[in-house]
Amino acid sequence: VNPDVQFKIVWAYTWFDPTKEADAAKVLIEQGADVVLQHTDSTAPQAAAQAAGNVITFGQASDMAAYGPMPRVSSIIDDWAPYYIARTKAVMDGTWTSTSTWDGIGAGMVGIGEISSAVPADIKASAEALRDSLADGSYHAFTGPLNKQDGSVWLAAGETASDYGDGGLAGMNFYLQGIEGDVPN
């Protein structure tokens, strides 16, 4: 959507450490970030953004609206309950087998929370349409043209990444073009 966007990655190496998460958000904000996304579970990045003033956030794992209603735009919402219930029932009825599960929006394991009023109506409608096309499979999030961070071609125009096998998304050991930082070893 915006070819000039730049992503900066800060690794906290934890799922839940409010101090580290707040520090990471503050560093990004000091470096000029105007949007803070996270893949950690506390609301510390939202608090840091709210304290900074003019920084937008996107929450992780739950809605997070109650912890910083503005400037939160939305949140990724994880709903593992149906998966856990199905796996537990499989153990109980003797049908359980070890398997990798990579479900997303379509299966309901991942959702997008309410998009806040900070988003203009036309952009909100576009985001909801994209969410719906991801859910029904008519759009694949990793559709080319996409280049690796070093500029080399990863996916040609129209090509999609294979789903989660060792050579696909689960095996990605590189960032895409537009992302600053290094993948940890």
Side-chain angles (χ1 to χ4, degrees):
V1 173
N2 179 355
D4 298 323
V5 71
Q6 286 289 309
F7 285 88
K8 292 184 180 186
I9 307 294
V10 174
W11 284 82
Y13 298 99
T14 181
W15 289 114
F16 186 84
D17 186 327
T19 301
K20 281 186 177 181
E21 294 173 56
D23 288 346
K26 289 174 188 174
V27 165
L28 291 169
I29 292 166
E30 288 169 4
Q31 293 176 355
D34 53 3
V35 177
V36 174
L37 307 164
Q38 69 195 69
H39 198 69
T40 55
D41 295 337
S42 87
T43 58
Q46 281 71 33
Q50 196 161 22
N54 196 22
V55 178
I56 295 167
T57 67
F58 199 94
Q60 161 63 23
S62 65
D63 187 21
M64 296 189 174
Y67 303 100
M70 289 303 290
R72 184 196 60 80
V73 170
S74 188
S75 298
I76 297 167
I77 299 175
D78 299 332
D79 184 1
W80 289 77
Y83 169 80
Y84 288 141
I85 291 167
R87 300 301 281 163
T88 301
K89 285 181 179 178
V91 168
M92 293 170 62
D93 68 20
T95 62
W96 181 87
T97 58
S98 180
T99 185
S100 295
T101 300
W102 295 93
D103 284 336
I105 293 174
M109 189 176 278
V110 177
I112 303 297
E114 169 103 25
I115 299 173
S116 77
S117 61
V119 178
D122 60 328
I123 302 297
K124 179 178 178 177
S126 179
E128 290 171 338
L130 178 59
R131 175 203 59 209
D132 295 346
S133 66
L134 287 164
D136 70 20
S138 61
Y139 179 75
H140 191 292
F142 288 89
T143 300
L146 290 174
N147 294 334
K148 293 181 179 182
Q149 187 180 44
D150 65 7
S152 63
V153 174
W154 178 46
L155 296 173
E159 185 180 12
T160 60
S162 63
D163 290 335
Y164 312 114
D166 290 336
L169 294 174
M172 275 182 78
N173 62 355
F174 56 88
Y175 287 141
L176 295 178
Q177 200 166 38
I179 297 177
E180 296 178 26
D182 297 313
V183 175
N185 290 323

